[in-house]
């Protein structure tokens, strides 16, 4: 009589890689994800079971591999609902682009373009020409160029015009921007020597005048867009600095940071210095961002005197910092919208969100309250709130916009409970990003435009 075949258990009960790959379920994974990724997933899964001395069937291995591969295939950069209350949120990509810019970028991606080609002459063209004409029209500048961001624009200006010489800046304007990038360090990398004048809270025209000497390459004024000094303060206006610079034969550059092409007061928003105002006041060059108040893609823009722009364009750093055809196409489309100010707020998402009225947002909160209350029944209480939105990305740091939203207070009053609540919102198909404040998750609805999609996905909340 034959002896019974011993039953395999533990690690010995695991199938081999080849056996898993021959199974019908593996073929579907290979078709979807490619053989290399499937093989890696099978090996990793088997290795985990061996480390625990556990067995598993072929079907179980394939199921786990399928889940792994779905997670792996998911884009790491995902669309989210920005309900933080910060409209131009750096961590969430700043300004959402208008459809015109999205279409233009997609068209530029699909095929070769006239990025640096002049159709009339059949010769090489200049990529900045795609946006320079619009910037000149909208700001009154003689010339313009674009680089990858405003920090890059400032580095290019300093390196091209002041390398090996001094740049004069008010001590009260030696800013630090996001990511711990400090102006003195940017200046050092650009190869210019910082000459700071005045004090933290007060700088006078005489301070600049006394500092100008043979080593002076330029005067730099920096818009303190991410903070504000209040109280006993003094700063030199652009017009007076420009006049001093002209008198002494020194270029004067103003860095507006966020920058805006239009007077925001026309839409009920606080005033922010415009690029045209800086040029009219006498700035030789103005630098500013494309992805903040302008509402376009990430870019650093420089406008002003044609001779200085030409010097910047010849600098080797310009090539290292230049924009690609995709962002140039998107930027051109955004700039074109500014030619029609009557419809700008309806077509430019950043401005539309900033200009939303409190009444409109509060009405949205009332509509959404029942749906949120049902979704979080037994988990959190949901109430409507009045709150304040901020523009963000260093724009108008002490100006807040009246807004409304929803507050989710966990039934279990603990820090762990509110963190779990925020995590559940982030786990939705389109993650919802709010902010934690006072033991509650606050959802500022200023930036929520698609209420239907927001409500529809609430059924997907993880337990």
């Amino acid at each position: 009589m034959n002896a019974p075949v011993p039953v395999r258990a533990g690690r010995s009960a695991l199938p081999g890689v080849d056996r898993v790959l021959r199974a019908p379920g593996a073929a579907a994974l290979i078709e979807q994800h490619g053989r290399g990724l499937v093989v890696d997933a099978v090996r990793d899964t088997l290795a985990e079971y061996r480390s625990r001395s556990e067995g598993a069937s072929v079907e179980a291995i394939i199921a786990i591999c399928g889940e792994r591969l779905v997670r792996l295939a998911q884009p790491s950069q995902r669309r989210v609902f920005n309900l933080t209350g910060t409209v131009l949120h750096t961590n969430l990509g700043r300004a959402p682009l208008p459809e015109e810019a999205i279409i233009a970028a997609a068209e530029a991606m699909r095929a070769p373009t006239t990025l640096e080609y002049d159709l009339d002459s059949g010769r090489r063209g200049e990529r900045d020409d795609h946006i320079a004409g619009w910037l000149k029209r909208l700001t009154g500048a003689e010339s313009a160029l674009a680089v990858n961001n405003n920090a890059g624009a400032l580095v290019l200006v300093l390196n091209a015009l002041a390398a090996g010489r001094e740049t004069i800046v008010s001590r009260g304007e030696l800013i630090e921007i996001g990511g711990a990038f400090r102006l003195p360090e940017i200046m050092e990398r650009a190869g210019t020597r910082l000459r700071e004048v005045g004090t933290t809270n007060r700088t006078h025209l005489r301070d600049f005048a006394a500092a100008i000497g043979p080593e002076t390459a330029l005067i730099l004024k920096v818009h303190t867009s991410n903070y504000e000094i209040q109280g006993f303060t003094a700063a030199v206006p652009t017009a007076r600095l420009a006049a001093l610079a002209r008198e002494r034969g020194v270029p004067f550059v103003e860095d507006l940071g966020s920058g805006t092409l239009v007077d925001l007061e026309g839409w009920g928003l606080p005033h922010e210095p415009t690029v045209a105002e800086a040029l009219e006041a006498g700035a030789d060059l103005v630098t500013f961002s494309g992805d903040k108040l302008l509402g376009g893609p990430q870019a650093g823009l420089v406008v002003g005197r044609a001779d200085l722009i030409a010097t910047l364009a010849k600098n080797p750093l310009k090539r290292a910092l230049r924009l690609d055809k995709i962002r140039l196409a998107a930027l051109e489309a955004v700039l074109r919208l500014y030619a029609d100010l009557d419809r700008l707020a309806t077509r430019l998402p950043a401005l539309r969100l900033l200009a939303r009225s409190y009444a409109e947002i509060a009405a949205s909160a009332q509509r959404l309250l029942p749906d949120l209350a049902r979704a979080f029944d037994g988990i959190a209480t949901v109430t409507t709130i009045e709150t304040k939105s901020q523009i963000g990305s260093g724009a108008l740091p002490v100006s807040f916009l009246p807004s409304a939203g929803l507050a989710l207070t966990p039934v279990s009053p603990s820090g762990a409970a509110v963190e779990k609540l925020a995590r559940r919102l982030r786990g939705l198909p389109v993650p919802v990003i709010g902010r934690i404040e006072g033991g509650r998750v606050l959802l500022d609805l200023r930036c929520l435009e698609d209420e239907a999609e927001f409500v529809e996905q609430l059924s997907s909340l993880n337990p």
Side-chain angles (χ1 to χ4, degrees):
M1 187 173 180
N2 295 332
V5 177
V7 178
R8 299 172 66 192
R11 293 175 60 179
S12 61
L14 286 171
V17 173
D18 289 341
R19 182 181 167 195
V20 175
L21 293 175
R22 288 196 300 270
L29 292 181
I30 291 172
E31 177 67 23
Q32 184 176 1
H33 300 284
R35 184 177 181 84
L37 288 178
V38 174
V39 170
D40 288 344
V42 171
R43 286 173 175 164
D44 290 343
T45 303
L46 290 173
E48 287 185 6
Y49 273 100
R50 291 192 194 97
S51 69
R52 300 193 300 264
S53 296
E54 295 179 9
S57 66
V58 170
E59 292 74 16
I61 297 296
I62 289 176
I64 292 172
C65 288
E67 294 173 359
R68 283 175 177 266
L69 290 166
V70 167
R71 290 195 298 271
L72 183 63
Q74 191 174 57
S76 60
Q77 188 173 182
R78 297 169 58 192
R79 183 169 71 93
V80 302
F81 283 115
N82 173 17
L83 305 188
T84 63
T86 301
V87 178
L88 302 174
H89 199 301
T90 298
N91 295 11
L92 302 181
R94 293 181 178 163
L97 294 183
E99 282 303 311
E100 291 86 348
I102 295 168
I103 293 170
E107 285 298 310
M109 284 188 271
R110 288 195 181 99
T113 70
T114 56
L115 175 64
E116 289 186 355
Y117 187 84
D118 187 320
L119 288 173
D120 291 333
S121 68
R123 297 178 180 177
R124 179 170 181 165
E126 172 52 57
R127 67 178 61 199
D128 283 328
D129 287 348
H130 298 290
I131 50 89
W134 285 108
L135 286 170
K136 289 190 291 183
R137 180 190 184 99
L138 295 168
T139 67
E142 293 179 2
S143 188
L145 59 74
V147 291
N148 64 347
N149 59 29
N150 192 48
L154 191 54
V155 167
L156 177 61
V157 168
L158 294 171
N159 184 261
L161 304 181
R165 299 174 66 198
E166 291 181 350
T167 296
I168 302 175
V169 188
S170 168
R171 183 172 283 114
E173 298 174 0
L174 295 176
I175 63 170
E176 177 180 309
I177 59 177
F181 287 95
R182 296 179 172 181
L183 181 58
E185 295 171 358
I186 291 175
M187 296 174 70
E188 181 181 358
R189 296 300 188 276
T192 186
R193 297 193 302 275
L194 166 63
R195 178 71 181 273
E196 56 184 279
V197 297
T199 62
T200 302
N201 60 320
R202 293 179 69 82
T203 303
H204 304 280
L205 186 66
R206 62 178 180 270
D207 298 318
F208 286 95
I212 296 175
E215 289 299 302
T216 302
L218 62 84
I219 297 174
L220 175 65
K221 183 175 179 61
V222 181
H223 181 47
T224 54
S225 56
N226 59 357
Y227 70 95
E228 184 171 285
I229 301 174
Q230 297 180 329
F232 187 58
T233 64
V236 184
T238 296
R240 296 185 67 192
L241 267 181
L244 174 66
R246 279 196 305 272
E247 179 186 322
R248 301 292 186 90
V250 176
F252 169 52
V253 178
E254 182 160 14
D255 173 20
L256 285 182
S258 293
T260 179
L261 296 177
V262 292
D263 187 352
L264 298 177
E265 289 181 309
W267 291 273
L269 297 167
H271 180 75
E272 178 82 348
T274 69
V275 178
E277 287 171 352
L279 290 172
E280 289 168 4
D284 295 305
L285 291 179
V286 179
T287 67
F288 58 105
S289 295
D291 54 334
K292 297 180 183 178
L293 288 175
L294 193 147
Q298 179 178 299
L301 307 172
V302 190
V303 299
R305 279 172 41 187
D307 59 327
L308 298 180
I309 294 290
T311 300
L312 269 56
K314 295 174 184 176
N315 187 281
L317 280 177
K318 173 61 170 65
R319 183 177 180 85
L321 298 170
R322 68 185 182 180
L323 291 182
D324 66 354
K325 67 174 183 176
I326 302 166
R327 276 193 284 172
L328 278 170
L331 180 59
E332 180 185 7
V334 171
L335 292 174
R336 193 182 301 118
L337 296 181
Y338 278 85
D340 183 3
L341 291 182
D342 293 336
R343 293 188 293 170
L344 184 62
T346 60
R347 301 168 73 187
L348 191 66
L351 183 57
R352 182 172 67 244
L353 296 174
L354 290 171
R356 285 188 78 187
S357 69
Y358 169 80
E360 180 184 350
I361 304 168
S364 176
Q366 290 292 344
R367 286 192 299 271
L368 293 173
L369 178 60
D371 295 298
L372 266 291
R374 280 192 297 270
F376 288 94
D377 185 34
I379 301 169
T381 59
V382 185
T383 56
T384 59
I385 57 167
E386 294 182 2
T387 186
K388 300 287 187 182
S389 303
Q390 61 180 9
I391 294 175
S393 288
L396 297 164
V398 297
S399 298
F400 295 92
L401 310 174
S403 190
L406 297 164
L408 283 65
T409 306
V411 173
S412 172
S414 69
V418 74
E419 289 285 355
K420 182 178 180 181
L421 195 56
R423 188 163 56 250
R424 293 179 70 174
L425 288 163
R426 295 196 303 269
L428 287 167
V430 180
V432 174
I433 315 296
R435 70 179 189 271
I436 294 175
E437 187 177 295
R440 304 178 298 173
V441 177
L442 304 186
L443 305 179
D444 186 320
L445 300 180
R446 175 172 291 277
C447 294
L448 180 61
E449 295 189 290
D450 193 340
E451 293 181 14
E453 183 183 21
F454 177 77
V455 170
E456 184 179 351
Q457 70 166 0
L458 292 177
S459 60
S460 304
L461 278 167
N462 294 323

